[in-house]
Amino acid sequence: MPRILLRTLALAALFMNLYALPTFRAEAQTAGPLQISWEVRNRFRLFREERDFQLHVDAGRGRTVLASEQILGMQSDGRGWARNVVNRLCIDVTGRVSEPCTRDTVKESYLTPVDHPVTLRLAGAVPVGATCAWTVDDGDGPTTSTFDCAEPVNMRVRYGRTTVATADVASAEGNQRATTEIAVRDIFIAGLGDSIASGEGNPDRPIGLSDEGFCFRYYLSSATSQYYRPSRAGYKGGRACEAPDFLQVWQRQSAHWFNPACHRSLYSYQTRTALQLAVQYPHIAVTYLPLACTGATIADGLFGSQRFRECPPSKSNTTCRGTVNSQIAELKEALTAAQRRQPERRLDLVLLSIGANDIYFSGLVADVIVDYPTERVLFKRSGVMASVDDSRSVLARDLPQGFAKVREALRPLVGDLSRVVFTSYANPTLAAGGAPCPGGRAGFEVHPSFNADPRRLATVSGFVENEFLPQLKAIALCQGGILCRNPQADRMTFVDSHQPAFAGHGFCARAQTDPEFDRECFAANGESFNTDLVVAANQPMVCGRSPSEYRAYSPRARWVRDANDSFFAAMTYPEGLPTNMQPSDIHDATWGVLSAVYGGAVHPSAEGHAVMADAAVPAAAYVLQLDAAVPEVITQPVPPVGR
């Protein structure tokens, strides 16, 4: 076998081992034969600026997504890494893709890139003081430039073409040549589904809290039927129940989501999965289209429009009314527009989580935590509460049919349904040892009528663990008697390996390593808030500490938001409610209930989403065959002059 070929194969094997590392850092290689390494810069294309992507490269080096999230949470003092990134995306707050999107000062088509920025480095035993004559040829003729071999070379390479890069190395030790082929694979990923898919519970910029209290009424209120909870920082309007104000004034201090209508968050497992693929594989770029929406069902969300959750932040007092378009319709429109410009452009992967709202999961939560008889009667009449029997009926009768429609809709968009990575839910109710949380007011006392009833909680936890999650898996994989048109072809790629990890990290989990504010101010007996109206108006917390000390993104034992977390992180006032549920003013009892749950109660925290991403990333990489590609690396001596 020729010596050059043997050397090529040996170097390819070496490169394959390097490529398997979580993050490839060419400059860390100091020995071995000369070779050219390359990586795509800022390769998570949702981010406009490379510094935002590099933050995750640095935090994720050799670590899981969970470990990376915990490090970033501590680095930000619990305020969250996304609070600044959220204003530097290629998608605006209404969900529209920026076409073109200016990324690192260069205008790019987001859905159909024509080139990608890459960095080349000479790695191995680079002679000190060596000079590199770089030649780059993408088929339109070579271009040459000369640099110190220790310097990286930044360039843009044409998408859809193979670019050959050659470095002729001149040094006192002699002349050498290294050659490699550069072919960027741009992976188009769409995220679909419900609140678990969108990242509900984790605003990109959490709400700011005031030391002062804000008054809410009870249902069927009298003059004394009031209570105070922390107000929003910066709110200058009426805080007493007798001093109503406009909702638009209150909303100027809202939590910030990169899409308020759907509560899409950069912390969602879908975003973190797409981002981690870009972090882990340096030779790809990831074009990510987030479409998941909180509250979505298969009928209203995937296939039909749904009511928005919140309006985008606005300085005007104009009322915003509207609906969110069907996710499938939005995906079709984006794909059609992309293929109009690049006929060969295809959808590589769909990340999907759907089904919980279809079986009334939020109604089950309401049934568990709403304890006051008045509220229970009102919520049952309005359809807000549901029973396990209600959910069981839909699970057996309607959900398999809904999934059949999802398959038929996605097949022409993605082709092979194994490219649909369905990530299942985690049971949010599990304490240490996998037993259901014991219940009680702790974590839910942000609203006076809340109390997690132990009996109802155990019933719902058992239904989720023993019926809903197994049936969902059978539906996705066409198992257990679930009828699929073609069981072999209709199977989705199913992910549930994160479920055991959530045992012991449910909404009731507590630890001495929790943030100091949590340990001091969220009382184990469920008595965290002052009940004396005079005292609570100025100091709502029994602990006496400032509510502004709460940190939504500090590491915690619980990976599931409780109602206290939901209020302290997001305090959501959903503006897309039906007319019959609209409150009379911002102190209304309806707002009091919804502000405690509509920001993500009983949803994964950023840590929970990171654990889900750790489970989804290997499945996505397998489907995309990202570990199968071995780039060509060739090293050979420069031919003698004159030959």
Side-chain angles (χ1 to χ4, degrees):
M1 185 177 290
R3 182 177 300 174
I4 291 177
L5 182 55
L6 284 171
R7 190 175 297 168
T8 300
L9 292 174
L11 288 170
L14 172 64
F15 202 100
M16 182 168 62
N17 290 332
L18 292 170
Y19 191 68
L21 292 173
T23 303
F24 180 71
R25 302 293 292 179
E27 65 268 30
Q29 302 174 42
T30 57
L34 288 183
Q35 56 182 284
I36 297 172
S37 68
W38 63 275
E39 61 182 341
V40 183
R41 298 196 311 278
N42 195 10
R43 49 190 178 269
F44 186 60
R45 301 187 62 250
L46 184 66
F47 291 170
R48 288 179 179 266
E49 298 186 13
E50 187 171 10
R51 58 176 168 162
D52 297 327
F53 176 68
Q54 194 61 40
L55 180 73
H56 290 272
V57 172
D58 294 339
R61 190 172 294 120
R63 300 185 181 97
T64 62
V65 181
L66 173 61
S68 172
E69 176 58 42
Q70 291 169 336
I71 286 173
L72 292 171
M74 290 185 289
Q75 286 179 352
S76 66
D77 187 31
R79 291 175 169 84
W81 57 265
R83 69 191 189 281
N84 298 319
V85 181
V86 67
N87 292 325
R88 300 193 289 261
L89 304 176
C90 283
I91 296 177
D92 67 20
V93 293
T94 68
R96 289 194 302 265
V97 172
S98 301
E99 287 286 10
C101 181
T102 301
R103 302 180 67 246
D104 298 314
T105 74
V106 177
K107 288 185 177 181
E108 299 178 4
S109 170
Y110 185 69
L111 295 178
T112 53
V114 297
D115 58 17
H116 293 87
V118 301
T119 296
L120 284 71
R121 295 180 178 88
L122 192 64
V126 181
V128 176
T131 300
C132 285
W134 291 90
T135 302
V136 178
D137 190 351
D138 64 2
D140 287 340
T143 58
T144 302
S145 54
T146 301
F147 300 96
D148 187 311
C149 289
E151 295 296 322
V153 177
N154 294 322
M155 57 181 291
R156 299 186 74 88
V157 298
R158 295 276 293 275
Y159 179 48
R161 291 191 181 187
T162 298
T163 298
V164 178
T166 302
D168 287 317
V169 183
S171 71
E173 300 176 13
N175 297 335
Q176 300 178 73
R177 170 175 290 172
T179 302
T180 193
E181 293 183 346
I182 303 169
V184 177
R185 182 181 174 190
D186 193 286
I187 296 172
F188 187 6
I189 300 175
L192 303 177
D194 55 22
S195 54
I196 299 299
S198 73
E200 178 68 279
N202 301 282
D204 299 287
R205 188 177 300 143
I207 193 77
L209 297 174
S210 168
D211 292 349
E212 301 169 322
F214 182 86
C215 181
F216 294 102
R217 301 186 188 92
Y218 290 94
Y219 284 102
L220 305 178
S221 62
S222 63
T224 58
S225 298
Q226 302 175 1
Y227 65 97
Y228 278 87
R229 294 297 181 261
S231 184
R232 289 181 172 182
Y235 173 67
K236 304 299 182 183
R239 295 186 295 110
C241 283
E242 296 74 26
D245 209 332
F246 293 107
L247 177 62
Q248 290 81 3
V249 176
W250 177 256
Q251 292 294 67
R252 290 172 189 166
Q253 284 77 41
S254 296
H256 194 87
W257 309 78
F258 81 78
N259 179 264
C262 286
H263 276 193
R264 292 177 194 147
S265 167
L266 292 173
Y267 294 101
S268 80
Y269 91 83
Q270 293 190 343
T271 303
R272 294 307 303 268
T273 297
L275 174 56
Q276 183 64 15
L277 290 173
V279 167
Q280 191 166 320
Y281 296 95
H283 290 179
I284 68 170
V286 174
T287 300
Y288 171 59
L289 184 63
L291 297 172
C293 196
T294 189
T297 64
I298 292 174
D300 300 321
L302 284 191
F303 287 103
S305 61
Q306 65 176 104
R307 292 182 180 273
F308 53 80
R309 184 58 47 101
E310 286 189 85
C311 297
S314 173
K315 294 183 179 180
S316 68
N317 287 336
T318 57
T319 301
C320 124
R321 300 289 178 197
T323 57
V324 179
N325 291 336
S326 149
Q327 295 175 42
I328 296 293
E330 289 282 311
L331 180 56
K332 286 181 178 178
E333 183 179 338
L335 194 56
T336 299
Q339 291 174 341
R340 193 177 297 122
R341 294 189 293 268
Q342 285 182 358
E344 70 282 3
R345 187 64 155 153
R346 69 170 186 170
L347 183 62
D348 296 289
L349 195 75
V350 171
L351 300 173
L352 175 65
S353 294
I354 197 74
N357 292 323
D358 296 78
I359 60 113
Y360 315 134
F361 185 76
S362 62
L364 296 179
V365 172
D367 186 43
V368 169
I369 69 173
V370 176
D371 203 43
Y372 280 18
T374 300
E375 276 82 350
R376 288 188 65 81
V377 170
L378 291 173
F379 283 9
K380 283 181 179 178
R381 287 177 181 175
S382 61
V384 172
M385 293 175 62
S387 69
V388 166
D389 286 340
D390 296 331
S391 299
R392 185 177 287 129
S393 176
V394 175
L395 179 61
R397 183 187 66 246
D398 299 334
L399 200 60
Q401 297 176 12
F403 266 72
K405 295 177 181 177
V406 173
R407 288 184 170 95
E408 292 304 309
L410 292 180
R411 185 178 289 106
L413 300 181
V414 76
D416 185 351
L417 286 177
S418 68
R419 290 181 175 270
V420 178
V421 177
F422 188 96
T423 303
S424 188
Y425 306 92
N427 189 335
T429 69
L430 299 182
C437 288
R441 286 179 50 76
F444 291 90
E445 70 269 35
V446 71
H447 193 279
S449 75
F450 290 175
N451 180 26
D453 179 84
R455 180 184 56 81
R456 296 194 297 266
L457 176 57
T459 299
V460 169
S461 182
F463 168 74
V464 170
E465 191 72 17
N466 302 318
E467 298 182 54
F468 175 52
L469 295 180
Q471 178 73 345
L472 196 63
K473 183 174 185 176
I475 292 172
L477 294 177
C478 300
Q479 295 175 344
I482 300 298
L483 295 179
C484 293
R485 190 177 67 175
N486 183 339
Q488 194 66 32
D490 284 356
R491 289 175 184 159
M492 300 174 180
T493 296
F494 188 80
V495 174
D496 63 356
S497 59
H498 56 286
Q499 290 173 351
F502 270 79
H505 293 281
F507 62 74
C508 62
R510 301 291 185 272
Q512 286 302 308
T513 53
D514 284 349
E516 184 178 319
F517 178 88
D518 292 32
R519 288 184 280 113
E520 291 191 8
C521 295
F522 290 149
N525 62 3
E527 297 178 1
S528 303
F529 300 97
N530 279 315
T531 56
D532 184 288
L533 296 183
V534 176
V535 174
N538 295 297
Q539 178 52 267
M541 304 295 299
V542 171
C543 68
R545 297 182 64 159
S546 169
S548 64
E549 295 179 49
Y550 175 84
R551 294 290 183 265
Y553 296 107
S554 290
R556 290 176 168 83
R558 61 186 180 276
W559 294 345
V560 177
R561 301 290 194 196
D562 57 29
N564 292 357
D565 293 324
S566 176
F567 186 94
F568 274 60
M571 201 191 300
T572 297
Y573 283 54
E575 299 161 84
L577 291 172
T579 303
N580 64 343
M581 293 183 65
Q582 289 291 338
S584 58
D585 63 68
I586 62 175
H587 302 285
D588 190 281
T590 300
W591 279 149
V593 172
L594 298 181
S595 65
V597 295
Y598 265 47
V602 199
H603 284 72
S605 65
E607 290 178 276
H609 277 282
V611 172
M612 295 178 70
D614 277 324
V617 166
Y622 177 80
V623 170
L624 295 168
Q625 297 186 310
L626 293 179
D627 293 310
V630 180
E632 180 184 12
V633 180
I634 302 172
T635 301
Q636 62 187 40
V638 175
V641 177
R643 293 189 60 180

